[in-house]
Amino acid sequence: MRILALLLALLAFVPMARAETRLDGTLTQGGLVIGRTDPGSTVVLDDRRVRVGPDGVFVLGFHRDAPATAELTVTEPGGKVERRSLAIAPREFAIQRIDGLPPKMVTPPPEVLERIRRENAEIAALREVDRPEPMFRTGFVWPAIGRISGVYGSQRILNGEPKQPHYGVDIAAPVGTPIRAPADGVVVLAADDLYYTGGTVILDHGHGLSSAFLHLSAVTVKVGDRLRQSDVLGKLGATGRATGPHLDWRMNWFKSRIDPQLLVPPMPGG
């Protein structure tokens, strides 16, 4: 059942005197991998040192445009070094054309550019936090149920102008639909009115893995709140630069954009 089952399977592991490095997940663009190695090992993905938990669990994530290979280096406590070249499967992404939008939704006016830079810088800093708690080990569920109206990786062309790829999954549902935590986490951002994303919550799941929930009509949590899976964090809306009521659920592993749909079962009724 995709990575969800693999994440949950990690909970069943029992301590071993020695564990070979194991990778569970999807080695693909937008994919997330959960690894396990000897406790005390050092793990490096390309040039990034990766947090290894006391039980040897670690996380790897791959951006939408990740190159075809990534180099994983594991150094065991005794000094033995294991090197792997990981083949990252390419994906094809949909092209979406949306015409007839007001110009301010395509190109922001000059007077808000400083606000946008400030908000983006704050979010970027939060995504670099490497919290040690492995709260992602609860596995993931859908934060809302509804029609999938946008998918990860799609390229949007607004009024004929190509824009940055879409990095989340859009769930269309009525305004006010409760939005729930897909996994345990700590609230690190709870904003009522960001320029692009309106009501916005970011939930840190640990080890650099985070979820963002965009366009909320109400934010019902505050920074520092600890949420359990399925706790309500806000209400679905159409705030910010949204074209209609929906939740845009995004996930990051540090700067790498992850496809949330790879972590959950198919949408109920979908």
Side-chain angles (χ1 to χ4, degrees), residues 4 7-8 10-11 32 34 51 53-55 57-59 129-141 181-188 202-211 224-231 251 263:
L4 175 66
L7 286 168
L8 295 176
L10 288 171
L11 298 176
L32 184 75
I34 306 299
R51 177 179 292 279
D55 55 359
V57 170
F58 60 93
V59 179
V129 174
D130 191 356
R131 192 178 297 270
E133 301 162 81
M135 292 170 283
F136 56 85
R137 293 183 67 172
T138 56
F140 289 83
V141 297
D184 287 3
V186 176
V187 177
V188 294
I202 295 181
L203 193 60
D204 187 337
H205 303 297
H207 288 223
L209 187 63
S210 64
S211 287
D225 284 352
R226 289 180 171 268
L227 304 186
R228 302 297 299 272
Q229 186 182 72
S230 297
D231 284 349
M251 292 194 68
L263 305 183

Side-chain angles (χ1 to χ4, degrees), residues 101-239:
L101 294 175
K104 69 177 183 178
M105 296 187 69
V106 179
T107 303
E111 61 268 23
V112 301
L113 293 179
E114 178 55 35
R115 174 187 174 186
I116 292 169
R117 282 192 288 266
R118 184 175 65 253
E119 292 173 353
N120 287 345
E122 179 183 3
I123 291 170
L126 291 173
R127 286 174 171 159
E128 282 301 307
V129 174
D130 191 356
R131 192 178 297 270
E133 301 162 81
M135 292 170 283
F136 56 85
R137 293 183 67 172
T138 56
F140 289 83
V141 297
W142 285 100
I145 303 302
R147 178 177 60 87
I148 295 177
S149 57
V151 295
Y152 171 92
S154 59
Q155 181 81 41
R156 286 180 169 177
I157 301 176
L158 304 181
N159 291 355
E161 182 180 342
K163 290 296 181 179
Q164 187 176 5
H166 183 48
Y167 288 123
V169 55
D170 289 341
I171 305 166
V175 170
T177 298
I179 304 303
R180 301 179 182 275
D184 287 3
V186 176
V187 177
V188 294
L189 180 73
D192 292 320
D193 185 27
L194 298 186
Y195 180 80
Y196 278 119
T197 59
T200 304
V201 171
I202 295 181
L203 193 60
D204 187 337
H205 303 297
H207 288 223
L209 187 63
S210 64
S211 287
F213 311 91
L214 316 183
H215 308 303
L216 303 180
S217 62
V219 172
T220 58
V221 292
K222 63 183 185 301
V223 171
D225 284 352
R226 289 180 171 268
L227 304 186
R228 302 297 299 272
Q229 186 182 72
S230 297
D231 284 349
V232 175
L233 57 85
K235 297 180 180 180
L236 186 145
T239 57

Side-chain angles (χ1 to χ4, degrees), residues 32-112:
L32 184 75
V33 170
I34 306 299
R36 186 180 178 97
T37 190
D38 281 338
S41 295
T42 298
V43 175
V44 177
L45 180 67
D46 294 326
D47 57 354
R48 175 182 280 277
R49 182 165 174 171
V50 177
R51 177 179 292 279
V52 179
D55 55 359
V57 170
F58 60 93
V59 179
L60 308 176
F62 302 96
H63 190 73
R64 174 191 186 271
D65 302 315
T69 59
E71 299 303 317
L72 182 68
T73 304
V74 179
T75 305
E76 298 175 2
K80 181 180 177 182
V81 178
E82 176 188 3
R83 293 184 174 86
R84 294 191 195 181
S85 182
L86 307 179
I88 310 304
R91 295 171 62 181
E92 293 185 4
F93 299 106
I95 301 296
Q96 295 180 323
R97 296 179 182 273
I98 303 177
D99 296 316
L101 294 175
K104 69 177 183 178
M105 296 187 69
V106 179
T107 303
E111 61 268 23
V112 301

